[in-house]
């Protein structure tokens, strides 16, 4: 069973966001990482790019498949996880520790459209 972390918000496309103040740490869930298999490449936006909730901001490629990354929140990218450029497999090691982008969230009410850990765990079991 994939690990679901409490205190995060989850989207139906298996991205999560961890909120600290006005900053959202966005990555893919453990469930998504398991489904993809060995991650070999992460396509990330640039710092200062805008991302929009429900829209693509990059992609994760594995030996099995490629999957678009869909932003769970709207805002401006303030940092990308540069470690993933050389070590994309860090996502497989710990999907929650190895976020993909940090976003300055422009509208926190969008978080209401996401699932909490309990709802996401139930969603993944379907």
């Amino acid at each position: 069973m994939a690990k679901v972390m409490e205190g995060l918000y989850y989207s139906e496309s298996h991205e999560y966001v961890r909120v600290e103040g006005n900053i959202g740490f966005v990555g893919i869930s453990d469930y998504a990482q398991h489904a993809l298999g060995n991650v070999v490449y992460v396509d990330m936006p640039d710092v200062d790019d805008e991302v929009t909730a429900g829209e693509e901001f990059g992609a994760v490629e594995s030996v099995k498949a490629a999957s678009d990354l869909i932003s769970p929140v709207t805002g401006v990218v303030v940092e990308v996880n540069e470690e993933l450029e050389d070590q994309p497999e860090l996502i497989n090691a710990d999907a929650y520790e190895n976020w993909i982008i940090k976003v300055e969230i422009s509208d926190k009410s969008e978080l209401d459209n996401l699932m909490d850990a309990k709802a996401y765990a139930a969603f993944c079991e379907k």
Side-chain angles (χ1 to χ4, degrees):
M1 165 89 187
K3 187 166 80 173
V4 177
M5 297 279 292
E6 290 290 334
L8 304 180
Y9 298 89
Y10 296 89
S11 67
E12 289 190 0
S13 52
H14 304 288
E15 288 80 15
Y16 69 81
V17 59
R18 181 177 84 234
V19 179
E20 293 182 9
N22 212 30
I23 302 296
F25 294 74
V26 177
I28 64 169
S29 71
D30 194 50
Y31 179 92
Q33 168 282 121
H34 276 291
L36 280 168
N38 294 336
V39 174
V40 294
Y41 178 71
V42 182
D43 179 34
M44 296 177 276
D46 295 319
V47 171
D48 294 331
D49 280 2
E50 290 193 12
V51 294
T52 303
E55 294 190 10
E56 181 186 334
F57 71 85
V60 174
E61 295 177 19
S62 72
V63 291
K64 290 197 286 191
S67 179
D68 290 338
L69 293 167
I70 308 299
S71 186
V73 291
T74 299
V76 175
V77 177
V78 293
E79 189 178 339
V80 297
N81 188 344
E82 293 179 1
E83 288 187 343
L84 297 178
E85 290 173 8
D86 296 325
Q87 299 178 301
E89 67 276 4
L90 289 171
I91 289 177
N92 295 120
D94 189 335
Y96 298 116
E97 193 62 36
N98 294 290
W99 48 271
I100 297 170
I101 58 172
K102 281 188 197 176
V103 177
E104 187 172 341
I105 301 171
S106 56
D107 183 0
K108 279 192 162 174
S109 71
E110 290 176 341
L111 298 171
D112 297 340
N113 301 326
L114 301 171
M115 293 175 274
D116 64 11
K118 184 177 177 187
Y120 182 67
F123 176 77
C124 289
E125 286 175 12
K126 286 181 184 166

